[in-house]
Amino acid sequence: MTERMERGLEKLRKIDGEAGERVIESLADVSPDLARYTIEYPFGDIYERPGLSLRDREIATIAALTAMGNATPQLKVHIQAGLNVGLTEEEIKEVIIQMSVYAGFPSALNGMQAAKEVFATTE
Amino acid sequence: MTERMERGLEKLRKIDGEAGERVIESLADVSPDLARYTIEYPFGDIYERPGLSLRDREIATIAALTAMGNATPQLKVHIQAGLNVGLTEEEIKEVIIQMSVYAGFPSALNGMQAAKEVFATTE
Amino acid sequence: MTERMERGLEKLRKIDGEAGERVIESLADVSPDLARYTIEYPFGDIYERPGLSLRDREIATIAALTAMGNATPQLKVHIQAGLNVGLTEEEIKEVIIQMSVYAGFPSALNGMQAAKEVFATTE
Amino acid sequence: MTERMERGLEKLRKIDGEAGERVIESLADVSPDLARYTIEYPFGDIYERPGLSLRDREIATIAALTAMGNATPQLKVHIQAGLNVGLTEEEIKEVIIQMSVYAGFPSALNGMQAAKEVFATTE
Amino acid sequence: MTERMERGLEKLRKIDGEAGERVIESLADVSPDLARYTIEYPFGDIYERPGLSLRDREIATIAALTAMGNATPQLKVHIQAGLNVGLTEEEIKEVIIQMSVYAGFPSALNGMQAAKEVFATTE
Amino acid sequence: MTERMERGLEKLRKIDGEAGERVIESLADVSPDLARYTIEYPFGDIYERPGLSLRDREIATIAALTAMGNATPQLKVHIQAGLNVGLTEEEIKEVIIQMSVYAGFPSALNGMQAAKEVFATTE
């Protein structure tokens, strides 16, 4: 196991928690290589960088995935991740509401629906 | 002028500065109504909300517009807006680099090019 | 309740019917603010405008949501809304078929599948 | 020349006017086949269909291209086409404003900029 | 039945197999015209062209649908189609992994999930 | 310089040629880190993989970037890259034409325009 991989796996566990591990597990049979890249580059390289807090990074990710509107499973993982690294439910909802301005109301409505489902599992 | 409009105009000036005013002016002849909505809803309603700082809101907007990749003029306005409300150039670059993970390298590369152009005008 | 809100709620009921009310209700616990904005801006401001008939407006919305291809729940609401404001099933199908030209066959095929499901509930 | 091709070329001229012919000409050296398909399928097959007026069809196309936000040259051709088949400037602006609801303000702002440029050439 | 239609239907059967026929059947009641266009243009015109092998064409289609991320049913049909025309499971996975570079990790992860589901039905 | 970086730089030069080097240079002042990631992950990791030829990989990339329609500079780099690794102009045009099916005619038309510009510089 490379050092990037070790570092990435630790970061993945810290940020995404169990949801992240499930993503990696579900790739184990079909593409362990994609699992490895998903750990190495996003988590081993990018989330490791010092210039922005994990809380700020999750604001960016939740915003982007809500706006793109075509990656609901990943949006849910990162709504949970946002909670894990210190965002409150209210702050996550603010980010999603704001996306109505940049990507339209459907993106915001579908993002809020994803948040509702994630929040329900944490109560 | 409605109270939302006044409040929005003040917020627009604070966040987007001159670039925001230019957007509104360029709409003056073709669609003053769209100019008004652009002031009222994003700035009078959303950026006015207390649940998230303007710095956090600009992280979200820069992330989303970089990821979407089809709104370069607005991305530039918000890179400048990010600087206006307290993000550093380094932090803005972190957000853009992170988008390579969620929207691919072309989005990040084109976002960085937009940032380079905005930063050049502020030096 | 503001005047925009009242006006928007009336318009929402007229255009989207029960489906629109369900959207608002499903937001009641997670984000009443997003519910309010969804009523105020799209319905209280935009669909209220006199320059285009509701029938024409639903052609535009069905076209856009079919082309974007990432907002199936909202597309279904607006296919029903199209029927509510006077579009025929045949006209809605024409709009969806036309989107194969601008957004490709997958968008048109998935839009038609959504239409099929909505039409089935109205028979 | 096939019958679809002849029918399509006639329709293209009627709807898109000179702008449509320029698109076809610019493809003449690099890909006459793509030029032919562009005439045959959209114009020879789809715009020929009787179930929706050309005015309604251009509402759908302007809406979709504004919302997608990544096809400015084609959006401009169809804003001109909208005028050619009976939409007024005011109606076209209504469609574009409405897209702020479904695809966000940047799409509407960039669509309005395209409209402003097309309208300037017709005055 | 036109000659394009016959030719397209034959090609559709060869490439997409049963999955393609199910798409056409599911359109039979709601829009036989869209079914016809889906056969005529993509299969009767494009996949018939001699300049690229069917294997190469499916690489292109799987890449595009994975990157777009909003057309899962069609992506699955074309993952199966790729197998039908000679791509191996390993090659299809390579194309999907590569999309992480151009459209981000969520697109690649969701594409790989689609591949996993298709591969499971063929074993 | 890491071994991934060296390997990636060599691959980048082989595939993208001068255009790739210009991308890296233009990042040198604003974000050498993004330049490094662009070399390491796409070129050092992905294009290095043995499971698919470089020719096949460029078919996938040209298809995806044409379909996405929001990354013209990168599409041009990869049209040139396609030529560098053995695709003919005719094969590249086939890929672009095929995208009309999956992402609509505007994507194909804008992709062909990009190809026309790249081909003009190589003659």
Side-chain angles (χ1 to χ4, degrees), chain E residues 71-90:
Chain E
T72 307
Q74 289 75 30
L75 175 58
K76 286 187 182 175
V77 168
H78 282 280
I79 288 169
Q80 180 61 60
L83 296 172
N84 296 347
V85 300
L87 286 169
T88 66
E89 292 193 3
E90 290 310 310

Side-chain angles (χ1 to χ4, degrees), chain A residues 41-43 46-47 49 51-52 55-61 63-65 67-68 78 87 90-91 94-95 97-103 105, chain B residues 41-43 46-47 49 51-52 55-61 63-65 67-68 78 87 90-91 94-95 97-103 105:
Chain A
Y41 180 63
F43 294 96
I46 301 302
Y47 283 94
R49 293 173 61 84
L52 210 59
R55 180 188 168 280
D56 288 348
R57 289 193 183 280
E58 288 301 334
I59 289 175
T61 300
L65 294 175
M68 292 167 73
H78 282 280
L87 286 169
E90 289 310 309
E91 288 172 324
E94 284 300 318
V95 172
I97 289 173
Q98 189 174 321
M99 290 305 104
S100 66
V101 173
Y102 299 102
F105 282 81
Chain B
Y41 181 63
F43 294 95
I46 301 303
Y47 283 93
R49 293 174 60 84
L52 211 58
R55 180 188 168 280
D56 288 348
R57 290 194 182 280
E58 288 302 333
I59 289 175
T61 300
L65 293 176
M68 293 167 72
H78 281 280
L87 287 169
E90 290 310 309
E91 289 171 324
E94 283 301 318
V95 172
I97 288 173
Q98 189 173 321
M99 290 306 103
S100 66
V101 173
Y102 298 102
F105 281 81

Side-chain angles (χ1 to χ4, degrees), chain A residues 66-67 69 96 99-100 103-113, chain C residues 34 38 42 61 64-65 68 70-75 78, chain D residues 99-104:
Chain A
T66 301
I96 293 171
M99 290 305 104
S100 66
F105 282 81
S107 285
L109 291 167
N110 294 329
M112 195 61 83
Q113 178 60 30
Chain C
L34 181 56
T38 304
T61 299
L65 293 176
M68 293 167 72
N70 63 357
T72 308
Q74 289 75 31
L75 175 58
H78 281 280
Chain D
M99 290 305 104
S100 66
V101 173
Y102 298 102

